[in-house]
């Protein structure tokens, strides 16, 4: 059975996914910070992580996550889960990944991710990782989009769907309202 790749993004109303928590020095700041997704949103993010077998990240997202998650302790088990589960980081500059249970995918990342989909038992979740997502889109390797839409317009920054990229009609799965005007949209390709 082929694994599905699920892209999970914080996204502004104008489609920006870059630097939602302000750790990338993009000048966009912590644009998700003024909002709280609430307990329903927290439960959704928990269930999303626990429904997959592995996490796939680009280098920038990996660096941010690896600096934070190993030190987090939570009663819900989210940190324990993400720290223990298999993680893959797409990078041609990283040779060794220090975060527990992480494998570096270098070289032809599209071919390596395609092989990973064929061999891994269970679905794969990508958080953020715009460059990686943009590499996998034209190869048809993305199966689902989980978009947590924040009621803010940034006016600039990296967008989920780059200019000139066409995907066609997606299949709507559901829409879930969270706190502070945040809406979670799920689509299948």
């Amino acid at each position: 059975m082929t694994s599905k790749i699920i892209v999970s993004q914080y996204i502004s109303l104008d489609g920006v996914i870059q630097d939602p928590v302000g750790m990338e020095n993009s000048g966009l700041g912590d644009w998700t910070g003024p909002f709280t997704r609430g307990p329903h949103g927290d439960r959704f993010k928990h269930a999303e992580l626990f429904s997959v077998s592995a996490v796939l990240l680009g280098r920038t997202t990996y660096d941010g996550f690896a600096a934070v998650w190993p030190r987090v302790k939570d009663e819900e088990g989210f940190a324990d889960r993400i720290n223990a589960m298999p993680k893959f980081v797409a990078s041609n500059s990283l040779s060794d990944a220090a975060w527990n249970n992480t494998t570096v995918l270098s070289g032809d990342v599209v071919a390596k991710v395609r092989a990973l989909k064929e061999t891994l038992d269970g679905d794969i979740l990508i958080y953020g990782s715009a460059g990686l997502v943009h590499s996998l889109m034209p190869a048809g390797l993305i199966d689902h989009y989980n978009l947590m839409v924040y009621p803010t317009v940034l006016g600039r920054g990296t967008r989920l769907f780059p200019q000139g990229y066409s995907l066609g009609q997606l299949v709507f799965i559901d829409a879930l309202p969270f706190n502070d005007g945040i809406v979670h949209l799920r689509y299948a390709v």
Side-chain angles (χ1 to χ4, degrees):
M1 174 185 241
T2 300
S3 297
K4 289 184 178 76
I5 292 184
I6 302 160
V7 169
S8 180
Q9 296 287 352
Y10 294 157
I11 187 168
S12 68
L13 280 175
D14 58 339
V16 175
I17 59 173
Q18 183 179 7
D19 202 9
V21 296
M23 292 178 64
E24 299 172 26
N25 297 319
S26 67
L28 292 171
D30 178 8
W31 56 267
T32 61
F35 304 95
T36 303
R37 65 181 177 226
H40 185 58
D42 291 345
R43 280 191 301 275
F44 177 86
K45 293 304 280 183
H46 186 273
E48 178 184 63
L49 180 66
F50 277 76
S51 72
V52 300
S53 297
V55 172
L56 173 62
L57 304 168
R59 173 66 188 268
T60 302
T61 304
Y62 170 82
D63 286 345
F65 278 32
V68 173
W69 283 111
R71 296 192 310 256
V72 173
K73 302 292 178 212
D74 63 353
E75 294 179 14
E76 297 79 28
F78 191 96
D80 289 341
R81 172 75 174 157
I82 198 166
N83 286 321
M85 72 190 311
K87 292 169 286 296
F88 300 88
V89 57
S91 175
N92 286 319
S93 60
L94 186 68
S95 58
D96 186 38
W99 190 11
N100 179 52
N101 211 11
T102 299
T103 302
V104 177
L105 303 177
S106 59
D108 185 348
V109 172
V110 169
K112 291 193 175 174
V113 170
R114 185 175 282 115
L116 190 62
K117 281 185 74 166
E118 294 298 325
T119 58
L120 194 66
D121 185 25
D123 293 338
I124 304 162
L125 186 64
I126 298 177
Y127 288 120
S129 307
L132 173 62
V133 171
H134 290 170
S135 295
L136 300 178
M137 282 176 173
L141 292 173
I142 308 297
D143 300 289
H144 289 257
Y145 291 93
N146 290 355
L147 308 176
M148 190 168 289
V149 182
Y150 282 76
T152 188
V153 176
L154 300 172
R156 66 179 182 85
T158 304
R159 287 174 166 67
L160 175 57
F161 300 104
Q163 187 165 345
Y165 178 75
S166 176
L167 183 59
Q169 185 170 348
L170 300 174
V171 178
F172 175 73
I173 298 171
D174 61 15
L176 306 169
F178 296 150
N179 283 13
D180 289 346
I182 300 167
V183 177
H184 195 274
L185 303 173
R186 289 195 294 182
Y187 294 95
V189 177

